[in-house]
Amino acid sequence: MNMLAKAADIARSPGDPKVQSTGPSSLGAADRMARGLGWFSIGLGAAELLAANRVARGLGLEGYEWLIRGYGLREVASGVACLSANPLPGVTSRVAGDGLDILTLLPALRHDNPKRGNAELALLAVAGVTLLDVLCQQGLTRRHARPSGPRRDYRDRSGFPKGLAAARGAVRQAGEARPALPGIA
Amino acid sequence: MKALVWHGKQDIRCDRVSDPEIEDPRDAIIRVTSCAICGSDLHLFHNFIPAMLPGDIMGHEAMGEVVEVGSAAKSKLRTGDRIVVPFTIICGECDQCKRGNFSVCERTNRRKDLAEKVFGHTTAGLFGYTHLTGGYPGGQAEYLRVPFADATHIKVPDNLTDEQVLFLSDIFPTGWQAAAQCDIEPTDTVAIWGCGPVGQMAIRSAILLGAKQVVAIDCVPERLSMAEAGGAIPINFEEESVVGRLNDLTGGKGPEKCIDAVGLEAHVTPSLPDTLLDRAKQAMLMENDRPHVLREMIYVCRPAGIISIPGVYSGLVDKIPMGMAMNKGLTFRMGQTHVNRWTDDLLRRIEEGQIDPSFVITHTVGLEEGPEMYKVFRDKQDSCVKVVLKP
Ligand SMILES: NC(=O)c1ccc[n+]([C@@H]2O[C@H](COP(=O)([O-])OP(=O)(O)OC[C@H]3O[C@@H](n4cnc5c(N)ncnc54)[C@H](O)[C@@H]3O)[C@@H](O)[C@H]2O)c1
Ligand SMILES: [Zn+2]
Ligand SMILES: [Zn+2]
């Protein structure tokens, strides 16, 4: 990122300050993780969309290509949401999607499936990713939620040193004209 | 020096950067004593305003002590002067500046070429904002170079604290201009969407300008309590119908004047389905802004009323009911604030004790804590309304 800042210095004039060394970021670990999961989701979704036939064959789920493409679309949508300014709904949708993936893979564990080994591996991978998704979801909630505890009360902050009653209509009462509006009339 | 630097979406860091240098005779450099985080900074934080670059220094609400003055600014400024820096950079000489339309100054945007392509015509240079408005380094830093400093400053007396005068840089005149644009009559109901710092200033301004009633809309209880303290009737849009309540308060006729102090990031909630659609479109880059508040204002505003928009919009918005607005004969007024148009008058009001804008400050921290405070302010945690940074 610091490299990017250096590259962007060509858009700056000689007297503009330039980054010398960089400090701690406003991005927390959970925010970064959400971005990682977002890109992963888009990558996986693209693979499911573009190579649904190979995925189906590899898992012994022939006949379910349409479902795999649908899941690909879902992964891409979740990924885009994970990369947005508020990633929590995106990550939550990933957790729900993980559940669907697991349910879909279970039938592939049947004994007569020649690709049973692949399906087991896939299930293991999904379980791992589910763990990451859940951790990320919890991390984001911890970092960004508004705790429901007591709020500060600002009922004493009128901003009018002479009191609210004196402030009402003070401009007109002082005989001042209304402010002249900007424009080119 | 230290500065808060934009590195990408939601990635602001407290970096070490080189000191600014005078590059034009009209420049001056200040040592920043106080600066603030603004709702507009959140739009940049979320990367909703195009043309930010990694390495850009944030901040457009700053004040401090003049430490260096270019030769052409010496007639107006001296080292040691205490100034507030307006967020709009102005030349003071062009056609628009002469009319007091300072935020559309024709000379101060050093990326006029970009602005002319994107906006059709240039607008003023702004501190700590997109490269469409010049990409000038901002004031969330220990030092700030002020271009066109002979015109771009507000001198403030020593007997007022930083906290009392800092907001002359932006939010106080912004709230004031929003209310002024409403041409307030003593019979008017003024409805204000958004009780962030800008909404709070707009509420106080509408009260001073003599509205019959001021109604404030938000969903954050502590912000609504601050709105009530300033004389507004609060509406929590998560708990009651905004349109229903506004009609009740106006005998079914709707508020004469409506102010949008929310801007492009209207709250997304399932009870307002259009906001879900806007968010989805925004994520897929099919729409820049979430204009729920504009739609609601056009719907509820009294025919022949005025819609005043200080809230920032960045680009293209969808499903704005123009037919409704046209048939109701509404007047729209909007814009970045012409800060220096109002500041002499507003400084006098602060000096006379008519208003003290420091009421809005809830957090004061050092620059190093800036990145974390962006998050706290954005997430409205810890009852945060306005953050002041002390470099
Ligand atoms: N025109 C100018 O020159 C100028 C200057 C400063 C700020 N601004 C703009 O003003 C706007 C507000 O700034 P701020 O500092 O007060 O920001 P803020 O983010 O603190 O405040 C916005 C408030 O709007 C509320 N809100 C969200 N959705 C809402 C809805 N549907 N109805 C009612 N309220 C809703 C939020 O809860 C929040 O309290 C921003 O868009 C900012 O960019 C413009
Ligand atoms: Zn601002
Ligand atoms: Zn000008």
Side-chain angles (χ1 to χ4, degrees):
Chain A
M1 272 319 219
N2 209 8
M3 297 278 290
L4 289 179
K6 281 227 154 51
D9 280 345
I10 52 163
R12 296 178 223 290
S13 66
D16 286 355
K18 320 241 172 5
V19 175
Q20 294 169 330
S21 67
T22 161
S25 161
S26 51
L27 280 174
D31 302 317
R32 290 181 197 279
M33 195 169 166
R35 290 210 183 156
L37 289 169
W39 286 116
F40 168 76
S41 209
I42 289 175
L44 181 64
E48 287 177 331
L49 272 173
L50 299 175
N53 295 334
R54 279 174 56 191
V55 174
R57 247 180 290 130
L59 295 171
L61 286 173
E62 284 93 343
Y64 288 97
E65 287 78 4
W66 55 274
L67 189 67
I68 291 169
R69 280 195 201 95
Y71 284 8
L73 218 56
R74 185 202 77 208
E75 290 281 358
V76 171
S78 294
V80 169
C82 287
L83 295 177
S84 76
N86 176 15
L88 186 57
V91 175
T92 305
S93 76
R94 279 195 46 81
V95 173
D98 293 334
L100 267 182
D101 286 347
I102 291 173
L103 285 180
T104 311
L105 281 168
L106 283 178
L109 295 183
R110 65 185 192 276
H111 286 286
D112 60 346
N113 180 3
K115 300 288 166 55
R116 186 165 170 214
N118 285 352
E120 277 168 3
L121 276 181
L123 204 58
L124 210 66
V126 174
V129 173
T130 308
L131 185 69
L132 291 181
D133 285 331
V134 170
L135 284 176
C136 182
Q137 188 190 28
Q138 287 172 349
L140 285 175
T141 309
R142 247 196 320 277
R143 184 164 168 76
H144 295 292
R146 284 192 331 125
S148 54
R151 304 265 167 76
R152 279 198 259 169
D153 187 338
Y154 297 129
R155 258 178 291 183
D156 56 345
R157 294 192 179 214
S158 79
F160 299 121
K162 297 175 187 162
L164 176 57
R168 285 194 189 272
V171 173
R172 195 173 299 114
Q173 263 152 34
E176 296 178 46
R178 274 198 294 215
L181 292 184
I184 42 178
Chain B
M1 65 164 182
K2 279 181 295 189
L4 298 190
V5 176
W6 191 94
H7 283 269
K9 187 159 84 180
Q10 279 153 302
D11 185 359
I12 285 177
R13 306 182 198 166
C14 184
D15 287 350
R16 201 146 269 292
V17 303
S18 52
D19 288 342
E21 285 165 24
I22 297 243
E23 43 186 40
D24 182 279
R26 291 182 75 174
D27 291 352
I29 289 176
I30 67 164
R31 182 179 63 79
V32 178
T33 53
S34 299
C35 55
I37 304 179
C38 176
S40 302
D41 292 329
L42 293 182
H43 304 324
L44 303 171
F45 186 57
H46 292 145
N47 205 13
F48 283 136
I49 310 281
M52 286 294 286
L53 290 174
D56 287 344
I57 299 180
M58 300 286 297
H60 58 267
E61 302 182 354
M63 66 177 294
E65 184 197 332
V66 176
V67 292
E68 209 182 330
V69 189
S71 57
K74 286 210 160 94
S75 58
K76 297 282 170 56
L77 278 182
R78 271 190 288 177
T79 57
D81 282 352
R82 184 166 173 245
I83 62 169
V84 170
V85 182
F87 78 94
T88 45
I89 303 171
I90 60 175
C91 76
E93 297 156 349
C94 72
D95 217 32
Q96 295 287 9
C97 281
K98 279 191 200 141
R99 295 169 188 268
N101 299 333
F102 293 114
S103 76
V104 289
C105 169
E106 294 167 338
R107 294 199 189 153
T108 53
N109 186 350
R110 60 182 180 178
R111 293 310 307 272
K112 269 196 195 68
D113 53 328
L114 277 181
E116 278 167 0
K117 280 203 189 81
V118 176
F119 297 147
H121 302 275
T122 189
T123 58
L126 305 180
F127 289 101
Y129 213 60
T130 142
H131 284 257
L132 295 177
T133 54
Y136 289 100
Q140 288 166 7
E142 290 178 295
Y143 293 91
L144 172 67
R145 181 184 69 235
V146 182
F148 298 88
D150 54 324
T152 307
H153 69 263
I154 304 148
K155 274 196 194 149
V156 286
D158 286 335
N159 63 333
L160 296 173
T161 62
D162 276 20
E163 286 69 17
Q164 284 175 297
V165 292
L166 174 60
F167 302 133
L168 287 170
S169 59
D170 178 351
I171 56 169
F172 184 22
T174 295
W176 184 263
Q177 179 171 310
Q181 285 178 159
C182 289
D183 258 334
I184 295 176
E185 302 275 358
T187 48
D188 279 349
T189 295
V190 180
I192 299 173
W193 278 255
C195 297
V198 170
Q200 299 293 344
M201 296 297 162
I203 291 166
R204 272 72 180 174
S205 303
I207 291 283
L208 288 171
L209 289 166
K212 185 177 99 188
Q213 45 180 6
V214 176
V215 188
I217 303 147
D218 207 303
C219 62
V220 182
E222 57 273 22
R223 292 183 175 208
L224 285 167
S225 79
M226 192 184 268
E228 215 175 341
I233 301 165
I235 299 181
N236 185 331
F237 67 82
E238 285 188 335
E239 290 169 3
E240 52 187 329
S241 150
V242 173
V243 172
R245 186 78 197 288
L246 283 174
N247 279 330
D248 287 349
L249 287 165
T250 53
K253 294 186 163 202
E256 288 91 341
K257 314 289 161 70
C258 297
I259 295 177
D260 173 355
V262 176
L264 67 97
E265 295 190 64
H267 192 66
V268 179
T269 158
S271 60
L272 308 170
D274 62 318
T275 62
L276 294 178
L277 191 64
D278 285 328
R279 184 168 189 281
K281 283 187 173 174
Q282 209 177 30
M284 291 185 288
L285 308 179
M286 290 163 64
E287 181 182 23
N288 298 94
D289 306 335
R290 303 200 296 262
H292 169 77
V293 170
L294 289 179
R295 295 184 193 118
E296 197 160 80
M297 290 199 304
I298 294 171
Y299 186 76
V300 77
C301 189
R302 186 175 303 195
I306 295 176
I307 304 255
S308 168
I309 313 174
V312 162
Y313 289 88
S314 78
L316 302 176
V317 294
D318 287 354
K319 306 284 184 291
I320 292 300
M322 214 53 205
M324 204 188 287
M326 189 275 164
N327 283 286
K328 290 173 86 170
L330 304 181
T331 297
F332 285 76
R333 296 193 173 122
M334 61 193 91
Q336 300 280 5
T337 304
H338 308 299
V339 178
N340 287 69
R341 181 185 186 95
W342 314 106
T343 43
D344 287 351
D345 179 50
L346 296 181
L347 177 58
R348 171 182 64 81
R349 295 182 197 280
I350 298 172
E351 285 185 293
E352 288 174 359
Q354 200 176 74
I355 183 165
D356 179 352
S358 65
F359 76 89
V360 78
I361 303 171
T362 54
H363 291 69
T364 304
V365 300
L367 210 52
E368 303 77 16
E369 287 170 69
E372 195 59 17
M373 287 319 286
Y374 265 86
K375 187 214 73 161
V376 171
F377 175 48
R378 173 198 103 129
D379 291 333
K380 303 178 182 72
Q381 290 171 331
D382 195 28
S383 303
C384 181
V385 181
K386 187 76 178 175
V387 181
V388 170
L389 304 164
K390 296 281 186 182

